Amino acid sequence: MNLKAKKILLFNPRSANSKYRIPNSILQVGASIHGKYDYVFVDGNLEKNPWKKIENYFKTGEFKYFCPTVMPGPQLKQAIPYSKKISESFPGTIVIWGGYFASNQYQSSLDSGYVDYIINGPGDIAFQSLINSLEAKKHEDIISIKNLIFKKDGQIIKTAKEALLDQDNLPSLPYSYLNSFYPLEYYLGKTFLGKKTFSYHSSFGCPFTCSFCAVVPIYNARWKGKSAKKIYEDISYFKENYSIDAIEFHDNNFFTSRKRVIEFSKLILNEGISWWGEGRIDTLNQYSDEDLLLLRKAGCKMIFLGAETGNDEILKQMDKGGKQSGQMIREFALRMKKVGIIPEMSFVLGLPADSEEKVMQQIEWDINFIKEIKNLNPDTEIIIYLYSPVPTEGSDLYQQILDAGFLFPKHLEDWISPSWENFDLRKNPLTPWLKPAMVDKIKNFETVLNGYYPTVSDFRIRGFKKTLLRFLSSIRYKKGIYAFPYEIKILQKIWKYRQPEIEGFYME
């Protein structure tokens, strides 16, 4: 360990749905410097006062690097003010950001004056290389490090993107070291999947270029995954040592490689572990019924699927890629019903159109399509997002939203206003073409839908609660009367109804 070097603080800011989720992003960075530099973890999800802990570390005079992972939404409420405080209170500190927000909103981040460097994508090599150059005072070498964004002489420099690395050959994540800061049992929460649910990343990237997705500018249609054997070894370790009984795979696209998924399913077949992962309908539709049955027998309980819309023209507008269509979504919902896996389908409503009338028509069309999917397979979980633009430069959709007058905030602090926080949660898009009446239509339908079909992931809504919610929502749902559903909202508020897209699966 390089004891002469100043220490590094890796910070995971608090997020609304990540209290029990192992902070894989800072673990990945920690693995790259483990045994080479002295570093500590601070997890904002598990600290009552994260700033106090961070401040106490820096007051020792031993720390030089403040390194938060920065995702859109709630994490910004700590990442932004803490980074600013660090720079003001401890001059000379170098602030290094990673995460989707930093990579996609690099202009406002670097213009803030208190973010020095951004890791643009995986930091397995970039982070250690940057620290090496800074510690050796070889600033001229930094421009040759891949996956970096920074300012030099007032100009923003984006270095070349690095090829995704072989995931099996990367250093093991320092779980034992994390355990010295936060007992790993803290991260094994109760969900509808199991009593001890473990969060895990088995791959990086996605091989598609959907124009509404924040991953696309970072990975550019690239994907790399750990082998089935490596995944099984990691999971076996946690089962043997921590008695896990469920897994959430937080890959952007867990099911990309059928061969890998089938091999993994065979390995885990008799382990008694339930699991959930994210995939694409057109990818999984290429799996045979026998493949899907194997997944179910191996513990796959639910799959998150980006349906987005049942309208084929809008799918083209989204640059969805692949062969997905409205008809395929219908057919796949039935296939999932047949094999007993719950499809959790997300829909993105409120894309730009030529007129306000056409935007509303598209919204109503998708509402009816969602009801059609629920009729085909009532077990289908529905997640509704309002379209929130991402800076996928070069795409027709991004140009369309710029032409419509949409602009991202220029100042970093603006992102922590309530309206922009909800923007990042895809609940308040701030897009000029989506009018209040349209937003009300979508949100009221969502309320009625969640009343008539409460999510299976909220196991507090059972028995008479579920019966009463369905009774109150039934006429509205069947007749299409969505306006002012106050009676449903009141019960959902009293019973603290959870929306998994905002709060995750974990229950207190």
Side-chain angles (χ1 to χ4, degrees):
M1 186 173 294
N2 186 352
L3 296 177
K4 294 182 180 180
K6 286 286 189 176
K7 295 180 182 179
I8 301 164
L9 191 149
L10 302 177
F11 176 50
N12 183 50
R14 182 175 296 146
S15 182
N17 63 356
S18 299
K19 180 177 180 180
Y20 298 103
R21 188 180 298 177
I22 285 182
N24 283 284
S25 52
I26 59 173
L27 271 178
Q28 195 88 20
V29 173
S32 73
I33 58 173
H34 199 73
K36 303 178 182 71
Y37 290 100
D38 206 348
Y39 68 99
V40 299
F41 291 123
V42 175
D43 190 344
N45 290 306
L46 298 180
E47 296 286 347
K48 290 184 178 179
N49 189 341
W51 169 249
K52 191 65 178 176
K53 189 159 194 175
I54 292 167
E55 184 181 38
N56 286 340
Y57 274 127
F58 275 87
K59 280 182 176 178
T60 65
E62 298 175 354
F63 286 80
K64 181 180 179 181
Y65 301 97
F66 179 64
C67 310
T69 179
V70 190
M71 297 291 284
Q75 282 199 336
L76 295 173
K77 293 169 74 174
Q78 290 185 344
I80 290 175
Y82 289 8
S83 296
K84 186 176 183 180
K85 283 183 182 180
I86 282 287
S87 295
E88 292 173 348
S89 303
F90 305 97
T93 299
I94 295 175
V95 178
I96 304 170
W97 276 18
Y100 294 165
F101 177 86
S103 294
N104 286 331
Q105 302 296 339
Y106 59 86
Q107 181 80 50
S108 60
S109 298
L110 294 173
D111 284 348
S112 70
Y114 48 83
V115 178
D116 299 297
Y117 298 94
I118 290 169
I119 304 296
N120 184 24
D124 304 278
I125 292 178
F127 187 81
Q128 180 188 335
S129 299
L130 175 60
I131 300 298
N132 289 344
S133 295
L134 292 171
E135 285 298 307
K137 302 189 186 311
K138 294 183 177 180
H139 293 82
E140 67 280 2
D141 293 345
I142 292 175
I143 200 167
S144 65
I145 300 171
K146 295 179 179 179
N147 288 11
L148 282 186
I149 309 177
F150 60 97
K151 269 191 173 183
K152 183 178 182 181
D153 300 326
Q155 299 296 314
I156 290 180
I157 306 294
K158 293 181 72 174
T159 65
K161 296 302 289 285
E162 182 180 52
L164 291 180
L165 304 173
D166 186 320
Q167 300 298 295
D168 282 7
N169 290 330
L170 292 176
S172 297
L173 298 186
Y175 290 118
S176 295
Y177 189 59
L178 175 64
N179 191 63
S180 67
F181 295 91
Y182 305 100
L184 292 179
E185 289 88 349
Y186 288 2
Y187 294 104
L188 306 178
K190 183 180 180 182
T191 69
F192 83 104
L193 293 170
K195 294 181 179 178
K196 288 189 174 183
T197 305
F198 174 58
S199 59
Y200 187 82
H201 273 268
S202 76
S203 67
F204 284 92
C206 178
F208 297 93
T209 57
C210 305
S211 58
F212 60 89
C213 181
V215 173
V216 171
I218 298 169
Y219 292 106
N220 297 325
R222 300 171 302 162
W223 179 90
K224 279 278 189 180
K226 295 179 182 178
S227 66
K229 182 180 178 182
K230 177 63 175 174
I231 300 169
Y232 180 67
E233 287 174 355
D234 288 348
I235 289 168
S236 296
Y237 170 83
F238 274 88
K239 184 182 179 185
E240 292 168 9
N241 291 278
Y242 297 96
S243 302
I244 65 167
D245 59 2
I247 310 162
E248 284 188 68
F249 288 104
H250 289 288
D251 307 42
N252 297 123
N253 200 331
F254 177 77
F255 298 91
T256 296
S257 168
R258 173 191 169 276
K259 179 180 178 182
R260 185 183 81 128
V261 172
I262 296 302
E263 184 182 348
F264 167 73
S265 297
K266 290 177 179 177
L267 288 170
I268 204 173
L269 188 60
N270 299 311
E271 296 292 344
I273 293 178
S274 299
W275 51 280
W276 168 98
E278 300 186 30
R280 283 177 56 108
I281 292 173
D282 51 358
T283 297
L284 276 156
N285 199 47
Q286 297 178 46
Y287 286 41
S288 68
D289 287 347
E290 290 74 20
D291 292 339
L292 295 176
L293 281 168
L294 172 62
L295 266 61
R296 182 66 191 97
K297 291 177 182 177
C300 181
K301 194 169 182 179
M302 178 187 286
I303 300 176
F304 180 94
L305 302 155
E308 322 310 356
T309 176
N311 188 315
D312 292 350
E313 288 302 312
I314 300 178
L315 284 171
K316 291 179 182 178
Q317 183 185 11
M318 291 178 168
D319 295 330
K320 180 67 180 178
K323 299 179 180 179
Q324 185 165 312
S325 66
Q327 185 58 27
M328 181 185 289
I329 296 170
R330 296 183 183 96
E331 292 171 356
F332 194 72
L334 288 171
R335 288 189 68 196
M336 296 289 272
K337 180 179 180 180
K338 180 180 177 182
V339 300
I341 298 174
I342 299 171
E344 185 183 25
M345 294 189 180
S346 68
F347 288 84
V348 179
L349 278 62
L351 269 76
D354 296 337
S355 65
E356 291 182 19
E357 181 182 14
K358 193 169 182 180
V359 174
M360 182 60 89
Q361 287 174 351
Q362 291 174 351
I363 291 169
E364 292 175 344
W365 197 97
D366 269 321
I367 285 173
N368 290 328
F369 182 80
I370 288 169
K371 294 178 72 172
E372 183 181 352
I373 294 299
K374 291 294 287 187
N375 185 55
L376 291 170
N377 183 353
D379 289 336
T380 304
E381 292 274 297
I382 301 295
I383 303 294
I384 296 177
Y385 294 117
L386 300 183
Y387 170 64
S388 296
V390 296
T392 48
E393 297 173 4
S395 75
D396 292 340
L397 180 57
Y398 186 58
Q399 187 58 51
Q400 191 176 0
I401 69 110
L402 293 179
D403 292 343
F406 177 83
L407 292 173
F408 289 110
K410 290 185 178 180
H411 301 292
L412 193 54
E413 284 85 355
D414 291 341
W415 282 98
I416 55 178
S417 66
S419 57
W420 281 101
E421 179 185 350
N422 286 327
F423 165 88
D424 280 325
L425 291 173
R426 297 185 182 182
K427 292 299 177 183
N428 181 15
L430 301 173
T431 46
W433 59 84
L434 201 60
K435 305 304 178 185
M438 301 173 188
V439 175
D440 287 344
K441 177 94 172 181
I442 296 169
K443 290 187 175 181
N444 289 337
F445 167 69
E446 182 181 39
T447 297
V448 173
L449 174 69
N450 289 339
Y452 195 62
Y453 291 106
T455 174
V456 69
S457 65
D458 189 342
F459 40 74
R460 291 176 303 197
I461 306 297
R462 295 288 187 270
F464 86 93
K465 293 181 180 179
K466 183 174 182 179
T467 301
L468 183 56
L469 271 176
R470 283 183 62 84
F471 174 75
L472 290 175
S473 308
S474 60
I475 294 177
R476 286 181 172 277
Y477 185 82
K478 293 173 183 177
K479 298 292 185 181
I481 305 170
Y482 310 125
F484 310 112
Y486 295 127
E487 72 282 10
I488 303 172
K489 289 183 177 181
I490 289 171
L491 286 181
Q492 289 175 339
K493 185 174 183 179
I494 292 172
W495 292 334
K496 299 179 180 179
Y497 182 79
R498 296 174 66 86
Q499 291 182 267
E501 69 273 23
I502 297 175
E503 300 172 89
F505 291 143
Y506 293 93
M507 304 293 287
E508 298 297 336

